[in-house]
Amino acid sequence: YHYTNEEFEVGQIVVPTRDNMDGLHETEKPAEIALRAAHPSGDGESIRKNSLYLWRDKPMGEYMWRLRGGTSDPKKYLYEMEYEQDDAVHTGDLRYYSDMKTAAKAGKALDPASAENYWKGVPQNNRPQFEVLVRKATVKSRQELPPSPQDVMKRFWSGAR
């Protein structure tokens, strides 16, 4: 599952178009840099920079998409994606990454074990938030985020003039 504002058609092959680092707040970047540096073979920078990010599980993908929909940067579409196993680069539990971002935002030291466990693909607990990094994936289906009440009111008032 992948959410974005980009519109794709069912059957379209989607490839990564940007480094996720570009969308991070300055306080989150130390965690991303540390995570990339912690890859066992040193390929973390390339892997995370050149991958399409997917949620492994539908409930998590939908939950995060809807949660993001209530922020100042909602993503309009949620796509169900499929990919070939050869295109899967890594699967890791984002709970470790979230712990690292929380520490970075608080100005605390980052726990190297969090990055290590992310790269090992170890679930942090019985409710992991697995992301799958892939080279490319194909769109199976698309959902559109319903308009917010603010969007509805903007359209109403713009049409009333």
Side-chain angles (χ1 to χ4, degrees):
Y1 293 84
H2 177 70
Y3 51 75
T4 183
N5 286 324
E6 294 180 65
E7 188 171 352
F8 303 120
E9 299 299 322
V10 172
Q12 185 174 344
I13 295 173
V14 179
V15 297
T17 57
R18 68 175 185 87
D19 184 351
N20 79 315
M21 181 80 81
D22 300 336
L24 297 178
H25 188 274
E26 288 303 314
T27 60
E28 298 172 319
K29 288 183 179 181
E32 180 70 25
I33 291 166
L35 186 67
R36 291 175 181 206
H39 189 272
S41 69
D43 291 337
E45 175 80 18
S46 177
I47 290 170
R48 291 192 59 82
K49 183 177 185 175
N50 298 307
S51 291
L52 182 66
Y53 290 65
L54 308 178
W55 291 101
R56 186 180 76 179
D57 304 307
K58 182 178 182 177
M60 182 55 61
E62 285 184 335
Y63 171 77
M64 295 304 289
W65 174 59
R66 292 185 192 289
L67 183 67
R68 183 86 186 248
T71 69
S72 62
D73 186 25
K75 300 303 178 193
K76 186 172 182 177
Y77 302 106
L78 175 68
Y79 295 95
E80 181 180 4
M81 310 293 284
E82 63 184 358
Y83 56 91
E84 300 294 325
Q85 275 309 118
D86 289 348
D87 289 317
V89 181
H90 178 71
T91 301
D93 187 349
L94 271 186
R95 289 188 184 274
Y96 293 111
Y97 181 56
S98 295
D99 288 349
M100 294 174 69
K101 288 194 319 184
T102 299
K105 286 179 184 178
K108 296 181 179 177
L110 304 180
D111 180 7
S114 290
E116 182 180 323
N117 286 327
Y118 169 84
W119 288 115
K120 285 181 179 178
V122 176
Q124 189 182 68
N125 56 34
N126 63 351
R127 296 190 56 176
Q129 296 176 347
F130 282 115
E131 71 175 354
V132 182
L133 308 181
V134 299
R135 290 183 191 91
K136 67 180 185 284
T138 304
V139 175
K140 282 184 67 176
S141 67
R142 177 180 72 198
Q143 295 179 55
E144 189 168 339
L145 191 65
S148 70
Q150 295 86 352
D151 292 337
V152 171
M153 292 306 294
K154 282 181 195 173
R155 274 188 253 142
F156 172 78
W157 288 112
S158 68
R161 295 176 195 180

